[in-house]
Amino acid sequence: MRYIGIDLGTTYSAVSVIDEYGKATLLPTPSGARLTPSVIYIGNDGTRLVGEAAKELMQDEPDNVAAFFKRHMGEPDPCFYVDGQGEFTAPDLQSMLLAHLREQASQVLGENVDAAVITVPAYFNDLQRNETMQAGRRAGLEVLRIINEPTAAAICYAMGSGKTLGNRVLVYDLGGGTFDVTVLEVRGDTITVLATGGDHHLGGKDWDDMLVALVSDEFRSVHGIDPREDFEAYSDMLYNVEKLKIQLSSRESASITVYSGGKRSRVEVTREKFEQITSHLMSSTEAKADEVLAEAGLSWSDLDGVLLVGGSTKMPMVENWVRRFSGKEPLRGINVDEAVCLGAVLQARIEVESRRPQLGLPQGAPAPGMMRIQDVMSHSLGAVAVAEDA
């Protein structure tokens, strides 16, 4: 059985494998990229593109490009419409993305991929998890397990880096489109999730949107024109503010050039200003972290460390926040962009090893550093009482 780990992200997705040396590693795409944009293009003529090819068409044909559809998992209504092709729900789009990832992996590996462990946000409810599992099956995969993203990151840290997590750790996972916070306990070879929560409408995109608003206001104050009302200018800004945000992670200031209505302005943004206009977003993550800690019956002083996961945690404001509230440096030793995906394939190996007889595979030696996972859902399943005479 050929299995993979899949980080099914809001903005980017990735695939991981166990290499010939028994090490978890990200699998490059056929073009050599390590990440695949979670973007789908459906043309009016039925043409379908996924990943980088679809993302390149976002500015030219935005009505035919779907992005951030992970935020709509669990919603019954379609979230994407294409003239002549119909309507699509979030699970429909996730299935297309998963099929693309599976095909890419099979092409690079030179053999058919059969199974996968797929990651989901910790706050996903039962419906959203089941929809993700069904999307995987529609893509031709045997879904070995659905695993929470923060738990996958913890597995990567504990098994992949050779470092100990300590007893109680908070995993702060800020991705491009979603936010997760999880408190877990590590004892021996067991990772137990104590509490978890998150917000599927909070992520790096929201920091980007604040930059768009800042830059637009600056442009309007000079030229009297709001570039957000100019489709082409707005599309350019969406693309360029992400680069601006990345530059501000390593520099105290950076600039962006905006063209709209025949006018041009170069807008300078300082890191201090960026942190000021996004302070409410950091406060939202703080409130969610406090809520999850309270649910676990812990305080910041009870933690042995904070593990940062997700590309948006590269912003200096996040590390500064961790230092201020935990009184410690963030735990290091993993790539924040890759940890979730690597943890997924490590969990896939655990699943396969534990199910060898059922899968008809010969019994092998246990994989080194195998860990047991006791995970939780962030929502109660609930119960419904029905009175026949009501």
Side-chain angles (χ1 to χ4, degrees), residues 354-375:
S354 65
R355 294 165 53 188
R356 277 184 171 273
Q358 300 96 304
L359 296 171
L361 300 173
Q363 192 64 43
M370 295 271 281
M371 302 195 74
R372 291 176 293 176
I373 312 300
Q374 296 181 13
D375 220 330

Side-chain angles (χ1 to χ4, degrees), residues 71 174-178 202-209 245 312 315:
R71 287 184 165 185
L174 185 61
T178 59
L202 180 63
K205 180 183 183 300
D206 299 286
W207 272 258
D208 294 349
D209 289 344
K245 179 181 67 177
S312 295
M315 294 185 293

Side-chain angles (χ1 to χ4, degrees), residues 22-159:
K23 182 180 178 181
T25 183
L26 247 62
L27 188 69
T29 67
S31 65
R34 295 177 72 77
L35 302 175
T36 297
S38 300
V39 181
I40 294 173
Y41 167 86
I42 300 178
N44 300 98
D45 60 356
T47 300
R48 294 189 180 186
L49 300 171
V50 182
E52 195 61 49
K55 187 176 181 180
E56 289 176 356
L57 293 171
M58 289 184 73
Q59 291 175 285
D60 297 329
E61 299 182 57
D63 292 340
N64 295 85
V65 177
F68 297 98
F69 42 84
K70 181 177 175 179
R71 287 184 165 185
H72 299 283
M73 291 293 283
E75 298 176 6
D77 298 325
C79 62
F80 185 52
Y81 305 83
V82 177
D83 288 341
Q85 298 301 314
E87 53 190 32
F88 302 86
T89 64
D92 293 333
L93 299 170
Q94 291 286 55
S95 177
M96 294 178 205
L97 175 57
L98 284 165
H100 178 77
L101 295 173
R102 176 177 180 257
E103 290 165 7
Q104 282 192 149
S106 298
Q107 182 179 343
V108 173
L109 292 170
E111 59 181 308
N112 191 52
V113 170
D114 309 292
V117 164
I118 303 173
T119 64
V120 296
Y123 58 79
F124 258 25
N125 59 30
D126 191 52
L127 173 60
Q128 292 166 314
R129 292 165 190 272
N130 283 331
E131 286 185 346
T132 303
M133 187 171 290
Q134 290 300 322
R137 290 170 179 161
R138 287 169 58 187
L141 289 164
E142 177 183 349
V143 182
L144 298 170
R145 183 169 177 171
I146 296 293
I147 185 173
N148 290 344
E149 291 164 3
T151 306
I155 293 171
C156 173
Y157 189 92
M159 294 178 62

Side-chain angles (χ1 to χ4, degrees), residues 4 48 91 102 106 131 139 142 168 175 177-178 191 216 219 229 265 269 281 283 299 310 330 335 355 359 385:
I4 57 177
R48 294 189 180 186
R102 176 177 180 257
S106 298
E131 286 185 346
E142 177 183 349
R168 292 167 179 165
T178 59
I191 296 177
S216 297
F219 189 92
E229 297 175 359
S265 276
V269 181
L281 298 175
S283 295
S299 65
N335 184 317
R355 294 165 53 188
L359 296 171

Side-chain angles (χ1 to χ4, degrees), residues 169-187:
V169 174
L170 183 142
V171 182
Y172 180 105
D173 183 357
L174 185 61
T178 59
F179 172 64
D180 262 327
V181 58
T182 296
V183 177
L184 49 84
E185 186 172 55
V186 182
R187 292 193 180 278

